[in-house]
Amino acid sequence: MYSVKELVESVGLTSVPSSYIFRDTKSDVHCMHVQSETVPIIDFSLLTSHDPDRRSETITRLGNACLEWGFFMCVVILQVINHGVPEMLRDEMVRETESFFDLREEDKRQYAGKKLFDPIRCGTSFNSNVDKTLLWRDYLKIHVHPHFNAPDKPSGFSKVLREYCQKTRDIAGELLKGISESLGLESGYINEKMRVGSSESHQLLVANMYPPCPQPELAMGLPPHSDHGLLTILMQNGIDGLQVMHEGNWVSINPLPNSFLVNTGDHMEILTNGKYKSVVHRAVVNSKAPRVSIGTAHGPPLDTVVSPAPELMTDGVGQAYLGIKYKNYLELQQSKTLSGKSCLDHLRLSI
Ligand code: OGA
Ligand code: NI
């Protein structure tokens, strides 16, 4: 199986091969371009502020973002610690990821075509064995916690990756504290119950490469889907392409400088018994420049059964989702083509 990058680089492509032509009437909704200002913005420094008023304002804002969007931009200034190079960690992470995709095919091949729980896996499309239409996307997926893994090339990748993953885990932990409070729960509720931040919590890094596409309106980077996990924290190389579904429209996301794009995942929806729903999003492609995005999915240890929190089933609201082991949910998602919130449909109870 060719990667899209190889396909684009090997021949002077002027049109999209038919196997990549994406037709999905369900996602064919009017695409509205909304300016960044309308998307909720969370200033991370206020969330961790010692000023109780500013913190509680930010928690309210965070709760509303989860309730109304399932998505927000979180502005965080990241500095590299104990590192000789003065650039920001984010920039380094993007550069190293780009260099990974630029490696020779024989260097990447050792990670190709492997199974879901293999430590490092790269490939193309989503599940190229079952995808009816191929996606204009190559990926690198690394299980980075509880066991840290890293490709041995490029040589600087491992160090930057380790630090980046630690930082994003710290950010997720703080966000989950705020989200717990926004639900009227103890600040540590989600972290403790889901054992996020514990030495066993699960973190998967997914790096996406979307090469330039000669007919971007015909192909799709990632089709509409929701993510597994509680939260996904994503950043990109300065090229836009993420769209989130909000009130029936696709909203194009133009990130603010230093912002991470954060979305709620399916396990947030299960845990909150549907109060905070996972957001449907997609990645479109462009004809001008390669786009790289790097997301980390934050979830509980793989053997944790995630089910609705009893504290959120009060006031006569019954249990709306079946519990499921995190590991089994990941397997379920990987066994199918990526399509909307189809995995959650297996767990919904009619109430
Ligand atoms: C994902 C994802 C969006 C993007 O990897 O699950 O939704 O902008 N990525 O690349
Ligand atoms: Ni996603």
Side-chain angles (χ1 to χ4, degrees):
M1 172 65 64
Y2 266 102
S3 66
V4 185
K5 190 165 179 293
E6 266 183 292
L7 175 75
V8 168
E9 288 171 3
S10 64
V11 281
L13 267 193
T14 52
S15 63
V16 170
S18 60
S19 49
Y20 289 90
I21 295 181
F22 187 86
R23 287 190 193 81
D24 182 359
T25 47
K26 276 193 298 218
S27 73
D28 192 20
V29 214
H30 173 63
C31 177
M32 191 170 72
H33 191 96
V34 177
Q35 295 305 310
S36 303
E37 289 80 33
T38 47
V39 171
I41 296 166
I42 301 297
D43 179 341
F44 191 74
S45 67
L46 298 183
L47 193 63
T48 51
S49 154
H50 293 298
D51 177 339
D53 291 343
R54 306 200 78 180
R55 182 160 188 276
S56 94
E57 248 171 59
T58 309
I59 287 171
T60 305
R61 187 189 274 262
L62 181 60
N64 287 338
C66 291
L67 195 62
E68 289 161 18
W69 284 76
F71 178 81
F72 53 92
M73 288 189 213
C74 183
V75 180
V76 192
I77 312 288
L78 280 187
Q79 298 288 345
V80 182
I81 306 164
N82 297 330
H83 203 286
V85 187
E87 283 96 345
M88 304 274 287
L89 178 58
R90 296 165 52 107
D91 295 346
E92 289 195 290
M93 184 63 198
V94 168
R95 263 205 313 275
E96 295 291 341
T97 305
E98 286 170 340
S99 309
F100 176 85
F101 285 112
D102 283 340
L103 290 174
R104 290 172 311 169
E105 286 308 311
E106 58 249 50
D107 288 327
K108 285 183 273 185
R109 198 167 299 137
Q110 59 176 309
Y111 307 117
K114 296 216 184 158
K115 295 193 220 62
L116 175 60
F117 293 110
D118 283 346
I120 305 174
R121 184 159 69 101
C122 65
T124 193
S125 200
F126 177 68
N127 188 352
S128 50
N129 298 327
V130 294
D131 290 340
K132 289 184 207 82
T133 304
L134 293 173
L135 304 174
W136 202 265
R137 169 237 194 188
D138 299 329
Y139 64 81
L140 165 67
K141 298 188 184 188
I142 312 177
H143 293 270
V144 288
H145 202 260
H147 304 291
F148 177 73
N149 298 287
D152 49 11
K153 288 184 188 167
S155 60
F157 199 7
S158 178
K159 186 169 196 277
V160 173
L161 183 67
R162 188 187 285 274
E163 194 163 356
Y164 181 80
C165 293
Q166 175 68 57
K167 288 279 186 205
T168 47
R169 280 202 301 283
D170 293 347
I171 295 169
E174 286 301 330
L175 291 173
L176 290 171
K177 282 191 208 164
I179 290 173
S180 298
E181 283 187 54
S182 78
L183 290 161
L185 303 167
E186 289 292 320
S187 153
Y189 184 92
I190 297 178
N191 284 322
E192 278 157 34
K193 189 156 177 126
M194 293 286 100
R195 290 153 68 205
V196 175
S198 75
S199 58
E200 296 300 303
S201 64
H202 190 264
Q203 184 183 18
L204 178 71
L205 179 126
V206 179
N208 301 295
M209 154 60 80
Y210 307 98
C213 177
Q215 295 168 294
E217 62 293 345
L218 295 185
M220 183 56 82
L222 274 173
H225 70 281
S226 56
D227 294 344
H228 63 76
L230 295 161
L231 290 177
T232 300
I233 300 182
L234 186 114
M235 64 156 182
Q236 61 182 28
N237 66 340
I239 307 291
D240 293 348
L242 176 66
Q243 299 183 335
V244 299
M245 178 57 81
H246 179 63
E247 294 179 346
N249 287 305
W250 287 116
V251 179
S252 300
I253 305 299
N254 325 116
L256 292 172
N258 298 317
S259 71
F260 287 96
L261 306 176
V262 184
N263 64 266
T264 50
D266 293 342
H267 293 82
M268 182 66 82
E269 180 164 338
I270 300 169
L271 182 69
T272 63
N273 203 34
K275 178 149 193 215
Y276 290 169
K277 300 221 163 31
S278 60
V279 67
V280 173
H281 56 285
R282 66 181 185 179
V284 297
V285 294
N286 77 86
S287 59
K288 302 201 171 57
R291 171 167 188 257
V292 167
S293 67
I294 300 164
T296 51
H298 299 264
L302 287 173
D303 61 1
T304 310
V305 174
V306 182
S307 45
E311 291 80 352
L312 300 175
M313 290 192 284
T314 48
D315 304 331
V317 182
Q319 180 172 348
Y321 304 82
L322 288 170
I324 185 169
K325 217 182 242 190
Y326 193 47
K327 182 176 199 273
N328 296 345
Y329 194 87
L330 267 58
E331 286 165 344
L332 175 69
Q333 196 185 38
Q334 194 61 52
S335 68
K336 313 197 300 171
T337 56
L338 205 53
S339 169
K341 294 174 73 159
S342 59
C343 293
L344 268 187
D345 290 341
H346 291 268
L347 306 178
R348 275 200 194 93
L349 295 167
S350 43
I351 49 170

